[in-house]
Amino acid sequence: MELIADNLAVARGGVRVLEGVSFRLAAGRALILRGPNGSGKTTLLRTVAGLQPAAAGRISLDREAMAYAGHADGIKAPLSVAENLTFWARMFGQAGIDTALTAFDLRGLADRRAGTLSAGQKRRLGLARMIVTGRPVWVMDEPTVSLDASAVALFADAVRAHLATGGMALLATHIDLGLPEAAVLDVAPYRATAQVGDAFDADFDEVAA
């Protein structure tokens, strides 16, 4: 299995923000997107994940192979940590949440209502959803928001474990995740000539996930 983006153009509101983007991501590999706020990283990720159509070009894999995590944690506040993960596992036709609980140090919080968690704990729960999807391609937008250094290390370990089983990860982040084996793609050179303003793009990045 390989994720290929071929001469991809992505747009927002009918206006292209990136064009000519091409990359290949093989099983067991990670690709980190770089670029300043407003450069179009979120739009690219959403397009690759199948949440919006490409303006041009081709993506090789169907969205059914992908799991997407944006800025929102995607948790249900009245449910416990374990109930949230069980819900998502069933949504994706999977069973078992033990690996996810352990990977993100959530065992001690398994019976806690999600709505009572701290911002960092909610983020860890949101990221743990990726494991229970069972999908081979993780597409993630700024996954370490609200995480402290120890939680960032947990996340990096979870990504490594995913890659070790033949999974793939496409990530947009501004920080060093401690994944020296990951390739890096700077999106700035692919910015389209006609663009919306940077402020609008940054606002969209905050609310789109």
Side-chain angles (χ1 to χ4, degrees), residues 81-156:
V81 167
E83 288 169 339
N84 267 279
L85 290 177
T86 299
F87 168 82
W88 283 107
R90 289 174 177 169
M91 282 284 293
F92 286 89
Q94 303 295 311
I97 63 172
D98 286 349
T99 300
L101 287 172
T102 299
F104 285 94
D105 194 22
L106 293 170
R107 285 193 174 277
L109 301 171
D111 296 325
R112 179 90 63 86
R113 267 199 321 115
T116 67
L117 300 176
S118 69
Q121 290 167 340
K122 288 177 180 176
R123 192 59 174 169
R124 279 157 48 203
L125 174 55
L127 294 173
R129 291 184 302 127
M130 303 297 281
I131 294 177
V132 303
T133 66
R135 293 193 167 180
V137 185
W138 290 0
V139 181
M140 313 182 79
D141 192 7
E142 297 294 348
T144 59
V145 171
S146 300
L147 296 184
D148 59 20
S150 62
V152 170
L154 288 176
F155 170 70

Side-chain angles (χ1 to χ4, degrees), residues 27-197:
R29 305 295 295 176
L31 177 64
I32 296 175
L33 301 182
R34 300 285 195 203
N37 289 339
S39 59
K41 300 186 300 296
T42 292
T43 304
L44 177 58
L45 289 174
R46 288 173 58 83
T47 302
V48 170
L51 300 178
Q52 64 182 64
R58 180 182 69 92
I59 301 166
S60 64
L61 290 181
D62 186 270
R63 69 166 298 184
E64 293 303 313
M66 305 181 198
Y68 176 79
H71 294 183
D73 294 319
I75 61 179
K76 297 183 178 296
L79 300 183
S80 70
V81 167
E83 288 169 339
N84 267 279
L85 290 177
T86 299
F87 168 82
W88 283 107
R90 289 174 177 169
M91 282 284 293
F92 286 89
Q94 303 295 311
I97 63 172
D98 286 349
T99 300
L101 287 172
T102 299
F104 285 94
D105 194 22
L106 293 170
R107 285 193 174 277
L109 301 171
D111 296 325
R112 179 90 63 86
R113 267 199 321 115
T116 67
L117 300 176
S118 69
Q121 290 167 340
K122 288 177 180 176
R123 192 59 174 169
R124 279 157 48 203
L125 174 55
L127 294 173
R129 291 184 302 127
M130 303 297 281
I131 294 177
V132 303
T133 66
R135 293 193 167 180
V137 185
W138 290 0
V139 181
M140 313 182 79
D141 192 7
E142 297 294 348
T144 59
V145 171
S146 300
L147 296 184
D148 59 20
S150 62
V152 170
L154 288 176
F155 170 70
D157 287 343
V159 172
R160 290 192 193 94
H162 180 62
L163 300 180
T165 63
M168 294 172 256
L170 177 63
L171 317 167
T173 180
H174 292 288
I175 73 167
D176 181 3
L177 295 176
L179 296 170
E181 66 274 25
V184 176
L185 176 66
D186 185 354
V187 303
Y190 300 100
R191 297 193 77 175
T193 303
Q195 303 168 38
V196 292

